[in-house]
Amino acid sequence: MKKSTFLVIGGAGYIGSHLVKALIAQQQQVVIVDNLSAGSASAVLGGELIVHDFDDRDFLDKLFSETEFDGVFHFASQIVVSESVKDPGKYYRANTAATLTLLEAMRDHKVGPLVFSSTAAVYGEPLHTPINEQHPTNPLNPYGRSKLMVEQMLADFDRAYGQKYIALRYFNAAGADPQARIGENHEPETHLIPLALQAISGKRPPLQLFGRDYDTPDGTCIRDYIHVDDLASAHILAINHLINNGKSGIYNLGSNHGYSVSEVIHTAEKVTGQEVPLTYAPRRQGDPASLVADASLAKKVLGWQPEYTSLDQIIQHAWAWEQTRT
Ligand code: UFG
């Protein structure tokens, strides 16, 4: 990639920090804007970190007047599905309204293109699996709707103002930097793999397995886990596609393989050599039985080729990262 200057909003968070790492490895100039409400400065392995809310129009006007960006990545968002049901205002404000402020500032300063973090949650309960991008969208909660609304704004801004974008619908982001410098660090943590590993290391209570009565071979939910470094590489391909005059679009990012919660637990036990302390709990509200990506479009159009295709390796990296933490 030619030398460029990129803005990474939410670059101190889990997925954003892995993109920053990848951009820096390619000697790109990187400016990170993150208010550190969920991210951490220590996760930013290079570039210039500006600690600020991204949805402050005066701040964005100044930033865009001072620095010419070749592209923008937008990761910052609220991500806890259950919280979005109880407090939808927070989600529409942080995920949808804040992004509108960003899009308007980008439009007015002619900044672009944009790669946006979307989610498999836009599909809701799947009608078939694997899920390709043509599958109808029917999000089951405000979190998914707050992201889908942004996708709709992006399409409208492209049509009206010619602002180019790619929205990437992540399935289950997992794993960590293979050198264990950065990894998943949510608070609250709601995700299966870190909760299972932290239950093993005694940092958290036993894992609650939510539901064993799903219509799946072993009765537990099936998800598609994709390595966070592979998500990062897809972002770089996406921005290059747009910089090279490729079309705006929406792409799934997943591994095309589904693993059940029980399989994830067994793999965690194999990788760590320890048992996952476990309790059984009823279904968690709003969890679809099975979500598996058809990510062939990203492979075909963007040339994406995930590197870490085994769940063992994903969990090995997550475990190495867990062990670096106090
Ligand atoms: N699970 C448990 N116990 C836990 C946590 C999770 O049994 O303590 C189960 C869930 O029920 C689910 C699976 O593990 O079946 C995966 O759950 P995660 O919370 O790790 O991930 P989700 O699939 O619920 O959510 C992820 C992203 C969301 C996004 C969603 C899209 O974190 O942001 O994928 O499907 F909305």
Side-chain angles (χ1 to χ4, degrees):
M1 187 176 13
K2 81 169 185 33
K3 291 281 168 288
S4 306
T5 304
F6 293 111
L7 174 60
V8 184
I9 297 169
Y14 174 40
I15 305 172
S17 63
H18 285 78
L19 172 70
V20 170
K21 178 188 78 161
L23 289 171
I24 282 160
Q26 299 191 2
Q27 271 83 49
Q28 303 298 333
Q29 294 284 335
V30 187
V31 175
I32 299 105
V33 171
D34 197 303
N35 65 7
L36 302 184
S37 63
S40 133
S42 62
V44 179
L45 297 181
E48 181 198 351
L49 170 63
I50 304 174
V51 180
H52 207 287
D53 292 333
F54 77 90
D55 62 339
D56 172 343
R57 182 60 201 250
D58 293 339
F59 166 76
L60 289 174
D61 284 339
K62 187 159 177 287
L63 182 67
F64 290 150
S65 316
E66 285 173 359
T67 309
E68 210 168 296
F69 293 104
D70 299 291
V72 178
F73 301 89
H74 175 25
F75 293 90
S77 82
Q78 299 292 329
I79 60 161
V80 181
V81 170
S82 58
E83 184 189 45
S84 80
V85 176
K86 290 189 204 100
D87 191 2
K90 179 174 174 182
Y91 280 70
Y92 291 121
R93 169 78 44 206
N95 296 357
T96 315
T99 302
L100 178 58
T101 302
L102 171 68
L103 292 183
E104 288 177 322
M106 288 177 65
R107 175 198 61 197
D108 295 347
H109 291 267
K110 301 193 170 22
V111 175
L114 173 71
V115 177
F116 172 68
S117 302
S118 190
T119 170
V122 299
Y123 294 114
E125 187 66 55
L127 305 174
H128 57 78
T129 172
I131 302 168
N132 66 17
E133 294 82 357
Q134 306 306 317
H135 185 288
T137 50
N138 184 22
L140 301 175
N141 48 62
Y143 167 71
R145 284 190 279 276
S146 73
K147 292 280 188 177
L148 184 58
M149 285 177 190
V150 173
E151 289 190 4
Q152 292 164 336
M153 294 195 303
L154 289 169
D156 286 336
F157 272 54
D158 186 14
R159 275 190 287 270
Y161 315 122
Q163 274 183 272
K164 296 294 164 210
Y165 74 94
I166 285 181
L168 297 174
R169 292 176 176 166
Y170 313 150
F171 282 65
N172 288 60
D177 171 39
Q179 294 177 47
R181 292 167 295 177
I182 50 176
E184 195 162 6
N185 186 18
H186 294 117
E187 200 52 65
E189 186 55 80
T190 61
H191 295 116
L192 176 63
I193 293 174
L195 287 176
L197 296 178
Q198 290 168 21
I200 288 176
S201 57
K203 280 188 221 135
R204 305 238 181 208
L207 180 76
Q208 290 184 287
L209 197 168
F210 296 132
R212 287 186 291 169
D213 56 351
Y214 286 95
D215 185 15
T216 60
D218 67 19
T220 65
C221 286
I222 292 173
R223 291 289 181 277
D224 179 336
Y225 297 88
I226 179 78
H227 196 290
V228 63
D229 269 358
D230 286 325
L231 291 180
S233 70
H235 285 72
I236 294 180
L237 292 166
I239 208 90
N240 275 333
H241 179 77
L242 294 169
I243 289 171
N244 296 324
N245 295 319
K247 283 198 187 120
S248 295
I250 295 176
Y251 298 91
N252 286 341
L253 295 181
S255 72
N256 295 50
H257 294 287
Y259 292 95
S260 73
V261 174
S262 288
E263 286 173 320
V264 170
I265 292 169
H266 290 141
T267 308
E269 291 179 335
K270 189 170 77 178
V271 166
T272 62
Q274 297 179 64
E275 240 175 69
V276 176
L278 196 60
T279 60
Y280 296 105
R283 291 181 180 201
R284 189 172 65 177
Q285 210 192 340
D287 277 344
S290 176
L291 283 173
V292 180
D294 175 346
S296 48
L297 193 67
K299 291 177 182 161
K300 186 169 141 219
V301 179
L302 304 178
W304 185 50
Q305 212 42 61
E307 189 180 341
Y308 303 105
T309 47
S310 93
L311 184 63
D312 284 50
Q313 211 175 12
I314 289 174
I315 295 182
Q316 271 163 22
H317 293 165
W319 179 234
W321 156 249
E322 280 302 333
Q323 288 173 302
T324 67
R325 305 169 70 203
T326 48

